[in-house]
Amino acid sequence: MDKTEQTLKVAIATGLVPAWKGDALIIGVYEGGEAQSALPLCGKKVENEVQKRLTEKWMRGTLGESIAFPTPSGSGLQVSRIVLLGMGKKESLQAETFRALGGHIQALCNKSGIATCHVLLSLDAHHKPKNRRQQIPVLALLAEGAWLGSYRFDHFKSKETKEAKGERDEHPFRQLFLGLHGDRVASERKRLAEVEILARGVALARHLGNQPANLLNPETLARQARQLTERLPTIKTTVYTEKMLASKGMNGILAVGSGSRTPPRLITMEYRRGGDRPLLAVVGKGITFDSGGISLKPGEHMAEMKFDMCGAAAVFGLMQMVAELEWPINVVGIVPAAENMPSSTAQRPGDIIKTAKGIFVEVINTDAEGRLILADALHHAASFKPAALIDLATLTGACAVALGAQASGLMGNNDSLIRQLEKAGEISGDRVWRLPLFAEYQEQIKSVVADIKNTGGREAGAITAACFLSRFVESTQPWAHIDMAGTAYDLNGSRPHVPKGAVGVGVRLLYHFLRAHWM
Ligand code: BES
Ligand code: MN
Ligand code: ZN
């Protein structure tokens, strides 16, 4: 199951372009004829050849577009070919544009059998965030995109199957050199090392997310946590089995897991390297498969419900990342894990369960299972006395309907925590968008026979789910809820740095959140 290692190496190329050796020199070109300010560094001959192709409109320079030609003889360069890569319009450059460019570079090198390449972007290629403190070094963004785009989940396909589909079994691209001219080498290099660890965290989250449910169940997910601890001893893992769950009264988790042959678990991963600094608790929904239970889902998209543990996957990715970065912070990751299946031992619609917090819940629909396991996990999180509590969950189809794949839903009880997450969303590429939690919405989850019920009707489904969660968090506890039902997996593969499948959403978001506010 473990195959998340990165084979791509990234380094900074200083020195003169004629000294660069490799299979290709990739030169960025803007859309709309904007001059590429680094072009003169390649020498007159190459400059002319490039200009000629641009004036003859061999390409327009739209983002990701590319053409290649052999290095002109007598140019003095030692690379075998020149590739012109479109960067899009100069004024629309954003952090995410550079990540996309990195993804394109990786894709084109792997496709064209390029093992080693050098990249020379325009000297004025920058993104302009609203706040200067949000400036991320451009080379680190390119590297991030290349690493993110290099992730593959293809070890269940034979060599023959891949070749028949025009895919490669081995990925030839091994070494990316990023050209840098100026005095920023030390800071760029430091950030590169950090971003490599970030990309590895995203890869772990994707990898867990992509696992089919016959291989990844609550028990094997718990095993993954123990393996994480073996590799990174600064993470302390605790796993509650059914007995422990029962003794803690965690009947939300138990009820959801009761229909499955594989019993539920509650996994906690603690990382404390921050002395007496405040603690962040992150809870991730870990439904390893969501059939809907007795309130069975229709068959059409049911296979996608192996992704219903992507919140948990983000927590794993985050824990690995902070431990590898050795950041001086305190974080606890909490993952309630269960498989939601129909069977004679499964919970039924109409059941009333007592959650660990003591709140009685009427289970109207067994397919609204995420909030039941999160109820107990959020209550458990409070015992760590965190300064902030964030949960990540593929919670509602309603959120996917509202925001689509472009942003996760964000709700919570603390404006400053929300604002910090909104900012982190903007720069990380894991965008979030706030939905309101007006008190009136709470009416929709009133039950006739219990304290609350687990569904709030069709209207405002993402919000009423968050209302339900809010009942399990003290109002004085800063808390934010991220609904990633629409963003957790991407089956279209329309972004070059996000391959089809689990996106690993949440890891980049929390990296920027922690970096900006907890370091
Ligand atoms: N895991 C689903 C939500 C989901 C839907 C995630 C689509 C990803 C893509 C969740 O457990 C669920 O089934 N929610 C129900 C809640 C309803 C019964 C109140 C939903 O959204 O339909
Ligand atoms: Mn469900
Ligand atoms: Zn679910």
Side-chain angles (χ1 to χ4, degrees), residues 285 287 290-292 297 305 308 340 365-370 395:
K285 173 179 173 182
I287 295 293
D290 182 12
S291 69
K297 285 182 182 295
M305 286 302 121
D308 211 17
N340 189 22
N365 188 324
T366 64
D367 198 11
E369 84 297 339
L395 202 60

Side-chain angles (χ1 to χ4, degrees), residues 61-327:
T62 54
L63 182 63
E65 191 192 1
S66 67
I67 55 169
F69 54 93
T71 308
S73 55
S75 68
L77 298 196
Q78 304 184 61
V79 293
S80 343
R81 48 185 139 164
I82 309 276
V83 179
L84 303 184
L85 175 63
M87 294 193 287
K89 293 210 172 75
K90 189 171 158 186
E91 55 280 10
S92 49
L93 290 175
Q94 289 175 356
E96 198 69 355
T97 321
F98 290 100
R99 296 189 187 100
L101 274 171
H104 282 298
I105 290 168
Q106 162 280 136
L108 86 86
C109 289
N110 276 320
K111 191 159 166 248
S112 323
I114 294 170
T116 303
C117 84
H118 286 76
V119 176
L120 188 63
L121 288 193
S122 188
L123 300 175
D124 56 2
H126 286 297
H127 66 109
K128 298 197 178 53
K130 282 181 209 150
N131 182 337
R132 270 198 34 83
R133 281 189 53 218
Q134 298 181 338
Q135 188 82 42
I136 307 165
V138 163
L139 298 192
L141 290 171
L142 282 180
E144 183 180 333
W147 274 315
L148 290 177
S150 302
Y151 171 82
R152 297 286 182 281
F153 185 73
D154 62 358
H155 49 281
F156 293 120
K157 276 195 263 187
S158 74
K159 198 174 169 196
E160 291 71 31
T161 307
K162 284 180 214 166
E163 279 163 6
K165 292 169 79 183
E167 295 167 15
R168 284 180 187 257
D169 188 35
E170 291 292 325
H171 300 286
F173 187 39
R174 284 298 145 100
Q175 177 75 57
L176 170 62
F177 288 106
L178 299 169
L180 179 65
H181 298 270
D183 51 6
R184 309 191 312 274
V185 179
S187 68
E188 292 269 4
R189 197 170 273 145
K190 190 152 167 275
R191 192 67 183 243
L192 272 190
E194 206 176 298
V195 161
E196 181 168 15
I197 291 173
L198 165 63
R200 254 213 298 277
V202 176
L204 175 61
R206 287 176 178 174
H207 199 67
L208 293 172
N210 285 329
Q211 295 300 323
N214 60 326
L215 300 180
L216 192 78
N217 57 47
E219 279 175 337
T220 54
L221 189 63
R223 197 174 306 150
Q224 289 288 318
R226 290 201 199 88
Q227 284 172 4
L228 199 58
T229 294
E230 265 168 45
R231 200 153 46 78
L232 297 162
T234 50
I235 300 173
K236 191 183 128 211
T237 291
T238 315
V239 177
Y240 285 1
T241 58
E242 285 165 294
K243 252 196 182 150
M244 287 294 289
L245 291 168
S247 77
K248 299 260 179 191
M250 296 191 173
N251 297 312
I253 299 174
L254 285 168
V256 172
S258 65
S260 171
R261 193 165 63 121
T262 322
R265 295 284 182 262
L266 180 70
I267 306 161
T268 60
M269 292 166 278
E270 284 175 73
Y271 172 86
R272 293 178 188 271
R273 296 286 296 266
D276 51 14
R277 289 171 138 187
L279 172 76
L280 172 69
V282 186
V283 176
K285 173 179 173 182
I287 295 293
T288 57
F289 186 70
D290 182 12
S291 69
I294 297 293
S295 314
L296 196 65
K297 285 182 182 295
E300 201 184 353
H301 293 288
M302 206 199 275
E304 293 169 24
M305 286 302 121
K306 71 167 185 174
F307 294 117
D308 211 17
M309 35 59 68
C310 283
V315 173
F316 275 76
L318 174 75
M319 297 312 297
Q320 172 182 292
M321 184 191 75
V322 294
E324 287 186 356
L325 288 169
E326 300 179 353
W327 274 356

Side-chain angles (χ1 to χ4, degrees), residues 291-494:
S291 69
I294 297 293
S295 314
L296 196 65
K297 285 182 182 295
E300 201 184 353
H301 293 288
M302 206 199 275
E304 293 169 24
M305 286 302 121
K306 71 167 185 174
F307 294 117
D308 211 17
M309 35 59 68
C310 283
V315 173
F316 275 76
L318 174 75
M319 297 312 297
Q320 172 182 292
M321 184 191 75
V322 294
E324 287 186 356
L325 288 169
E326 300 179 353
W327 274 356
I329 57 174
N330 299 316
V331 187
V332 57
I334 299 171
V335 170
E339 186 182 42
N340 189 22
M341 297 292 267
S343 84
S344 72
T345 56
Q347 65 172 338
R348 294 141 291 246
D351 283 5
I352 297 172
I353 54 176
K354 186 182 184 187
T355 58
K357 196 170 196 281
I359 297 175
F360 285 95
V361 176
E362 182 187 9
V363 179
I364 297 293
N365 188 324
T366 64
D367 198 11
E369 84 297 339
R371 63 198 77 180
L372 299 177
I373 65 166
L374 289 170
D376 286 343
L378 289 170
H379 175 68
H380 183 61
S383 67
F384 291 89
K385 307 224 178 313
L389 171 57
I390 299 173
D391 76 77
L392 304 151
T394 46
L395 202 60
T396 66
C399 191
V401 170
L403 299 172
Q406 302 310 321
S408 303
L410 171 64
M411 288 144 273
N413 62 6
N414 184 288
D415 287 344
S416 91
L417 178 60
I418 296 269
R419 267 195 297 275
Q420 292 176 355
L421 285 165
E422 283 176 333
K423 279 201 195 107
E426 263 174 50
I427 54 171
S428 68
D430 282 348
R431 286 186 293 197
V432 292
W433 200 259
R434 187 180 194 174
L435 300 171
L437 276 190
F438 301 134
E440 288 79 359
Y441 289 114
Q442 298 281 353
E443 301 291 321
Q444 286 177 241
I445 56 169
K446 277 190 175 158
S447 163
V448 176
V449 293
D451 294 316
I452 47 174
K453 56 183 180 181
N454 78 330
T455 58
R458 266 178 58 83
E459 291 178 6
I463 293 171
T464 55
C467 286
F468 183 95
L469 298 182
S470 75
R471 300 296 190 92
F472 297 88
V473 177
E474 297 307 320
S475 57
T476 51
Q477 164 77 66
W479 159 72
H481 159 63
I482 292 165
D483 191 333
M484 45 195 252
T487 51
Y489 56 96
D490 178 349
L491 302 177
N492 306 316
S494 43

